[in-house]
Amino acid sequence: HWELALPEFSPRSALYQIRPIGIGTPETECLTSLLARLAAAHHLALGDLILRYFLPIMRNKRAEADRPLNHFELNRMSYVNSAGALAAEIVGLSERLTFLPEIASTSLVRWKEFVSRHELLRHYRAWCADCYNEQVAMGGAVYDLLLWVVLPVKVCSRHRRPLSENCPNCQKRIRPTLKYYRPGSCPYCRTFLGAQKSDVTTAAIDDSDYEL
C-alpha cells in the first residue's frame, strides 16, 4: 500500500533564523547589528536585504492604507533601534520573516512608555574596541550592543573605557546608515574597529562574502 498524499510541512521562514545575542543581559545586541548579520548570512549588504524583503511588504501595507511610503521614512531606517512606530514595524517584520519572537528586545520598542525619544539615539555610531577584540578572540560573531546606540551612554560598562566614535584608521565618524552597515567595520576604509595592535587585521570581518 502506497500513501500518495503529500506530507504536511511545518511553515518555513523567509529568512534564516539568526538569533540575537545577549538577550536579557546588558550586552544585548541592537536590531541594526542583528539585521546586518542576517544580511551577511544571505550574502547581501544590509541595504539590499531591506530593499528585497522589507520594503515590498511595507509598500503593500502603505498602499492598503492609502499612505505611500515616502523618502523621509526610508531615510529614517537607520533609527530602527529606537522606540518609534517605524522601529516597531521593522521589529514586527523581522519576527514575521524569521519566526523569531525575541527580536523586540534588540530595540527600545518595549521601553517606549518609559523613555523619551528626544535625543535618545546617537547621530554617529559608537563602540568599545575592547568588546570587539573579545568577540573575535572568543570566536563568536562581531556585533554591536543596544547600549551603544543610546546617546547618554558614554562608557563601556564592561571595560570602563569611553566609547570610540572615530575610525582608528581614517579618523572619520560613522553615521548609522544601513546601506553598508556592518558591525565592527568602518564603511569608509573597511578597517576593523576593534584593532588595537598592528597584528589585528580586517581578516576577522572580511567583506568578500557580500553581494554589493
Side-chain angles (χ1 to χ4, degrees):
H1 175 72
W2 291 88
E3 177 58 58
L4 301 181
L6 292 176
E8 292 186 4
F9 293 99
S10 60
R12 298 295 192 264
S13 61
L15 299 174
Y16 295 139
Q17 292 186 326
I18 305 296
R19 295 187 177 278
I21 301 171
I23 295 297
T25 74
E27 298 179 358
T28 296
E29 182 176 18
C30 67
L31 180 55
T32 49
S33 174
L34 175 64
L35 292 176
R37 293 196 300 116
L38 185 62
H42 288 271
H43 301 284
L44 294 170
L46 180 49
D48 292 329
L49 181 82
I50 297 296
L51 287 172
R52 293 189 187 188
Y53 291 94
F54 288 77
L55 288 190
I57 299 175
M58 296 174 69
R59 287 195 178 103
N60 288 338
K61 290 175 63 178
R62 299 297 197 283
E64 291 174 1
D66 196 24
R67 187 168 61 88
L69 190 68
N70 57 46
H71 290 291
F72 178 70
E73 288 179 302
L74 295 179
N75 292 335
R76 290 171 53 232
M77 285 289 185
S78 58
Y79 296 97
V80 297
N81 299 309
S82 185
L86 181 60
E89 183 174 18
I90 296 297
V91 164
L93 290 178
S94 300
E95 293 180 343
R96 170 181 169 182
L97 292 169
T98 62
F99 292 171
L100 292 175
E102 65 265 39
I103 292 180
S105 298
T106 63
S107 75
L108 298 171
V109 169
R110 289 183 172 175
W111 297 89
K112 63 182 180 180
E113 303 297 333
F114 308 99
V115 297
S116 171
R117 299 179 200 172
H118 178 67
E119 295 298 322
L120 175 60
L121 298 186
R122 295 178 179 275
H123 300 292
Y124 294 90
R125 285 171 56 186
W127 61 90
C128 172
D130 287 341
C131 284
Y132 281 153
N133 287 338
E134 284 189 359
Q135 292 167 6
V136 172
M138 294 175 64
V142 176
Y143 72 97
D144 287 336
L145 277 60
L146 181 59
L147 279 175
W148 294 350
V149 308
V150 179
L151 182 60
V153 177
K154 307 294 184 182
V155 177
C156 173
S157 59
R158 180 180 177 87
H159 297 102
R160 306 297 179 184
R161 60 170 290 169
L163 297 179
S164 303
E165 295 184 340
N166 296 86
C167 172
N169 182 54
C170 66
Q171 297 301 314
K172 291 183 179 179
R173 301 177 76 187
I174 306 170
R175 291 191 177 275
T177 53
L178 290 188
K179 187 174 183 181
Y180 298 116
Y181 173 91
R182 190 163 190 183
S185 176
C186 173
Y188 301 111
C189 65
R190 298 188 179 182
T191 294
F192 176 45
L193 299 176
Q196 298 295 305
K197 300 178 182 179
S198 59
D199 60 346
V200 180
T201 69
T202 57
I205 49 170
D206 182 23
D207 283 341
S208 61
D209 60 345
Y210 261 96
E211 177 186 314
L212 297 177

